[in-house]
Amino acid sequence: MNSIDQTKTTDTANLWMIGMSTMKSSMLLSLVMAIIKGVAGIFGNSYALVADALESVSDVISSLLVWLGLKYASKPPDEGHPFGHGRAEPLVTFVVVGFLILTAGVIIYQSIINIMTPHKLPAHFTLIILGIVIIAKELMYRWVIKKSNSTNSTALKADAQHHRSDAITSLSAFVGISIAIYLGPGYEAADDWAALIAALVILYNSFMIFKPAWGEIMDEQNHSELIQKIKVCALEVEGVKDTEKCYVRKAGINYLIDLHLEVDGSISVFDGHEIAHRVEDKLKSCGWGIIYVSMHVEPVRTNVEC
């Protein structure tokens, strides 16, 4: 293994470690939030808070799945998987989306039942609990989304959206409970309507999480910024006249590249091969997560006789 490959492997391993460490912290916070909200919702007579706790429980389960997915996806390429195991990441994201949809369905069902069934007003202390939860979850969202951007992890982005979804559902519960408490008898169902609205927000976030993961599985070409950087980088290598096609496949936090190079048609096959290797090495060492480059060399005429 040359020095470039060693550096690439080390950098990739570090990114995977950051992702898995982030997921552990995320799971711990979600578990604490679920317990606090569940206990407060039961004793405070607030189904919106109980529904919020259910959403946090789904966060814990999905975060565990994401952590397991990241752990598997971080395995280096082997004989059976020459492009690595990164595609496990979006597959796990689909499971996360399934849990979100299931959670939303349970909340919608129970909210409708509660709206049709008279019950007591929520307790005042539930608002204090929700205020703390909203702040904690929003801060967690900002931290995880920052980590997801630094690692370029689809699964971490999904987990970050979980925290934002949880903050939104908590905010919805806060509004609903406030209406029920301060407007008094006759407005008890405001708490349940808040839970229903929160479930709809969860469904919307599920779609927003599903979309990029589906694009990754389908090799959607939505990497225009990276493609432009690849072309500029390739042109910096001596002997490269221009670039033609450039396709990008995302695999977890890494990228697989198909690139067409144009070189002087009068040079030898050996020289064209050497130019292609220099481009490959340069792209892998740029720190963009590129672990594989498939190169096609196109000859171009530089001198045309009249």
Side-chain angles (χ1 to χ4, degrees), residues 17 21 25 28 40 44 82 102 131 160 167 222 225 259 262 275 281 294:
M17 289 299 295
S21 176
S25 300
L28 179 61
L102 179 62
N222 56 358
E225 184 178 343
L259 179 64
E262 291 185 355
I275 292 171
D281 291 342
S294 176

Side-chain angles (χ1 to χ4, degrees), residues 158-232:
D159 192 61
Q161 288 299 328
H162 258 148
H163 291 297
R164 171 56 63 82
S165 173
D166 210 358
I168 292 172
T169 56
S170 296
L171 180 60
S172 177
F174 187 92
V175 173
I177 293 172
S178 297
I179 292 173
I181 289 175
Y182 292 107
L183 293 184
Y187 288 88
E188 296 89 348
D191 175 54
D192 305 306
W193 280 105
L196 189 60
I197 293 171
L200 297 178
V201 172
I202 294 172
L203 288 176
Y204 173 76
N205 283 338
S206 299
F207 172 74
M208 297 306 293
I209 294 170
F210 172 82
K211 188 177 179 182
W214 178 254
E216 185 173 330
I217 287 290
M218 297 301 294
D219 291 329
E220 184 179 353
Q221 294 303 296
N222 56 358
H223 310 284
S224 56
E225 184 178 343
L226 178 59
I227 289 174
Q228 185 58 35
K229 290 197 295 186
I230 288 171
K231 290 187 174 185
V232 171

Side-chain angles (χ1 to χ4, degrees), residues 47-69:
Y47 182 67
L49 201 48
V50 172
D52 207 7
L54 287 176
E55 208 275 338
S56 289
V57 170
S58 76
D59 281 354
V60 175
I61 297 173
S62 61
S63 293
L64 177 61
L65 289 172
V66 170
W67 182 81
L68 292 173

Side-chain angles (χ1 to χ4, degrees), residues 12-303:
T12 299
N14 288 338
L15 290 176
W16 285 119
M17 289 299 295
I18 291 172
M20 288 187 284
S21 176
T22 301
M23 289 310 308
K24 287 180 181 179
S25 300
S26 177
M27 281 188 285
L28 179 61
L29 180 66
S30 293
L31 181 60
V32 171
M33 291 293 103
I35 294 172
I36 292 174
K37 289 188 289 188
V39 172
I42 292 170
F43 287 98
N45 195 42
S46 170
Y47 182 67
L49 201 48
V50 172
D52 207 7
L54 287 176
E55 208 275 338
S56 289
V57 170
S58 76
D59 281 354
V60 175
I61 297 173
S62 61
S63 293
L64 177 61
L65 289 172
V66 170
W67 182 81
L68 292 173
L70 284 172
K71 189 172 182 179
Y72 182 81
S74 66
K75 294 172 62 176
D78 53 37
E79 186 176 350
H81 306 86
F83 303 116
H85 301 76
R87 286 291 171 87
E89 215 192 348
L91 291 176
V92 169
T93 302
F94 294 150
V95 179
V96 171
V97 169
F99 268 101
L100 279 174
I101 293 173
L102 179 62
T103 301
V106 171
I107 294 173
I108 289 171
Y109 173 77
Q110 191 61 49
S111 296
I112 293 173
I113 291 177
N114 288 356
I115 288 170
M116 299 171 65
T117 306
H119 55 81
K120 296 180 181 179
L121 288 169
H124 285 74
F125 74 83
T126 56
L127 292 178
I128 299 174
I129 298 296
L130 279 169
I132 296 172
V133 167
I134 291 168
I135 294 172
K137 275 299 191 175
E138 180 62 22
L139 290 175
M140 195 65 184
Y141 163 78
R142 293 172 184 265
W143 180 65
V144 176
I145 200 68
K146 183 178 180 180
K147 294 293 184 181
S148 72
N149 289 333
S150 66
T151 59
N152 202 31
S153 169
T154 302
L156 277 184
K157 282 185 173 67
D159 192 61
Q161 288 299 328
H162 258 148
H163 291 297
R164 171 56 63 82
S165 173
D166 210 358
I168 292 172
T169 56
S170 296
L171 180 60
S172 177
F174 187 92
V175 173
I177 293 172
S178 297
I179 292 173
I181 289 175
Y182 292 107
L183 293 184
Y187 288 88
E188 296 89 348
D191 175 54
D192 305 306
W193 280 105
L196 189 60
I197 293 171
L200 297 178
V201 172
I202 294 172
L203 288 176
Y204 173 76
N205 283 338
S206 299
F207 172 74
M208 297 306 293
I209 294 170
F210 172 82
K211 188 177 179 182
W214 178 254
E216 185 173 330
I217 287 290
M218 297 301 294
D219 291 329
E220 184 179 353
Q221 294 303 296
N222 56 358
H223 310 284
S224 56
E225 184 178 343
L226 178 59
I227 289 174
Q228 185 58 35
K229 290 197 295 186
I230 288 171
K231 290 187 174 185
V232 171
C233 183
L235 288 172
E236 293 174 354
V237 176
E238 185 178 357
V240 177
K241 300 297 181 182
D242 203 351
T243 59
E244 286 188 342
K245 299 173 184 175
C246 181
Y247 300 121
V248 175
R249 295 185 180 122
K250 190 171 183 294
I253 64 173
N254 298 317
Y255 293 99
L256 315 174
I257 310 299
D258 290 317
L259 179 64
H260 287 213
L261 290 180
E262 291 185 355
V263 301
D264 187 344
S266 64
I267 65 175
S268 67
V269 173
F270 179 84
D271 288 338
H273 178 76
E274 285 297 304
I275 292 171
H277 264 294
R278 289 200 297 270
V279 172
E280 179 182 2
D281 291 342
K282 186 174 178 65
L283 290 175
K284 286 182 177 179
S285 65
C286 281
W288 299 332
I290 297 173
I291 62 169
Y292 175 82
V293 182
S294 176
M295 207 84 66
H296 180 76
V297 179
E298 296 276 0
V300 293
R301 292 186 179 183
T302 55
N303 296 313

